[in-house]
Amino acid sequence: MEEKKFLEVFPYLKLEGRLKDEMEQVSVTRVASVKSQNLLRVYIRSCFLISKRDIFQVEDILNGMLRSYRDSWQIKIYERFDLSSQYDARTVMELYRDSILEELKAYSHVLYILFKNAKITYPSKGHIHVEMEDNCIVHMQEKELRAILDKVFLERCGLAVSFTYSYKEIKREEDAEEDFSINKRIEEISQRRMAAGAESTASGGRLAGNSSAGAASGGRAAQNGAGSGKASTRNGGSEQSSSYKEKSANTARNSFSSGRTAAGNGETSGG
């Protein structure tokens, strides 16, 4: 079909504000129906980027109008951008990434999360590097994501972009919190063990001190006992010596008295 303005193909379409301004500058290049799917495909061309959210809004309005005639049919818009040279790979990615996410969200939530969490860098002109989390889901869906990005940039935007991909193990917040909790637990256990070791050493020192004190007390008691024994021996020896001396003195006195008596007796007899 001959290329026509979008609002000429859909003259009864009621748009306002930004949507109306955008669609007034858009051309329809082709309309095709897929009867097996009850689908009407509308191919459009624009010289500037139109967000996917705005495209979805126009589709919703058109489908609301279509239900009055063909309830089971649906209109789908396929956009192509004829961009000027001021648009390069980096500019398009920065301006259009939210639209890619919007489209992925409607198509596959897994791909949406995958691309949302990806880190995008630009090593050189016409080169986009995508760094994604290294997990099994990413590896399963990576091929499809690559195909979508190639299609968006090449077929939709007319840009031949070199994409490279890499993977990085991402430490999640809950893992970091768990590691922090484990390290804190280890530290607490270490501190308790150190405190218990210090207390045990101090108790051992006190026990050793008590043993030394006991030994000293025992030594003093033994010395006291030995002193008492010596004193008793000395006292006993003195008492025995005094008794012996007293007995000897008594014996001598008795002997002396007997001698005097005998002498006295002898004198008396002699007289």
Side-chain angles (χ1 to χ4, degrees):
M1 62 171 285
E2 183 183 352
E3 190 171 305
K4 293 183 178 180
K5 292 293 184 180
F6 188 85
L7 294 182
E8 291 178 2
V9 177
F10 302 99
Y12 300 106
L13 181 63
K14 304 298 181 183
L15 299 175
E16 297 179 354
R18 184 188 67 256
L19 289 180
K20 183 178 180 180
D21 293 339
E22 288 177 341
M23 301 314 291
E24 281 178 344
Q25 304 176 63
V26 170
S27 298
V28 176
T29 60
R30 185 160 65 98
V31 176
S33 63
V34 184
K35 294 183 179 180
S36 61
Q37 300 178 19
N38 289 345
L39 178 65
L40 190 65
R41 292 177 175 176
V42 179
Y43 295 87
I44 66 172
R45 182 180 64 82
S46 170
C47 60
F48 56 90
L49 292 171
I50 302 174
S51 71
K52 198 64 183 181
R53 181 169 295 183
D54 288 351
I55 295 294
F56 284 159
Q57 281 187 276
V58 175
E59 284 180 348
D60 289 341
I61 296 172
L62 287 173
N63 285 316
M65 294 173 55
L66 186 61
R67 289 190 190 100
S68 302
Y69 304 96
R70 296 184 178 183
D71 186 46
S72 60
W73 279 69
Q74 184 180 10
I75 293 177
K76 178 72 176 176
I77 296 176
Y78 294 84
E79 64 271 37
R80 176 181 173 84
F81 304 118
D82 291 337
L83 303 174
S84 65
S85 58
Q86 67 178 352
Y87 289 92
D88 59 10
R90 180 169 187 165
T91 304
V92 172
M93 177 62 82
E94 291 176 347
L95 293 176
Y96 202 64
R97 186 178 182 182
D98 287 343
S99 291
I100 298 174
L101 286 169
E102 192 81 23
E103 192 168 6
L104 288 174
K105 190 175 183 179
Y107 173 69
S108 167
H109 190 71
V110 174
L111 290 175
Y112 164 75
I113 295 297
L114 191 156
F115 189 61
K116 181 181 178 182
N117 293 334
K119 180 182 178 181
I120 307 296
T121 55
Y122 310 94
S124 60
K125 188 175 182 180
H127 181 193
I128 296 177
H129 183 74
V130 183
E131 184 180 72
M132 298 177 290
E133 295 183 17
D134 189 6
N135 58 57
C136 61
I137 297 177
V138 170
H139 291 288
M140 289 172 60
Q141 301 291 329
E142 174 199 348
K143 186 176 180 180
E144 189 171 9
L145 179 63
R146 289 188 181 206
I148 290 172
L149 291 178
D150 287 339
K151 187 172 183 179
V152 166
F153 277 81
L154 184 59
E155 296 184 14
R156 186 178 298 176
C157 299
L159 292 174
V161 178
S162 174
F163 282 96
T164 55
Y165 298 83
S166 65
Y167 309 93
K168 182 179 179 180
E169 184 177 354
I170 305 296
K171 199 170 189 63
R172 300 184 181 279
E173 185 177 349
E174 55 268 24
D175 295 335
E177 291 177 356
E178 184 178 357
D179 290 345
F180 175 77
S181 179
I182 291 172
N183 291 333
K184 187 176 181 182
R185 179 66 175 165
I186 292 172
E187 184 180 355
E188 290 175 353
I189 292 172
S190 299
Q191 289 177 352
R192 284 201 297 270
R193 286 182 176 176
M194 290 175 62
E199 185 177 356
S200 176
T201 302
S203 299
R206 289 195 295 272
L207 289 173
N210 292 337
S211 299
S212 300
S217 299
R220 287 194 297 272
Q223 292 176 358
N224 292 336
S228 299
K230 291 179 180 178
S232 299
T233 303
R234 287 196 299 271
N235 293 335
S238 300
E239 290 176 357
Q240 291 176 359
S241 179
S242 300
S243 176
Y244 175 76
K245 289 179 180 179
E246 185 176 353
K247 288 180 180 179
S248 299
N250 291 334
T251 303
R253 281 195 299 270
N254 292 334
S255 299
F256 180 75
S257 299
S258 300
R260 280 190 307 176
T261 303
N265 291 334
E267 289 175 349
T268 300
S269 297

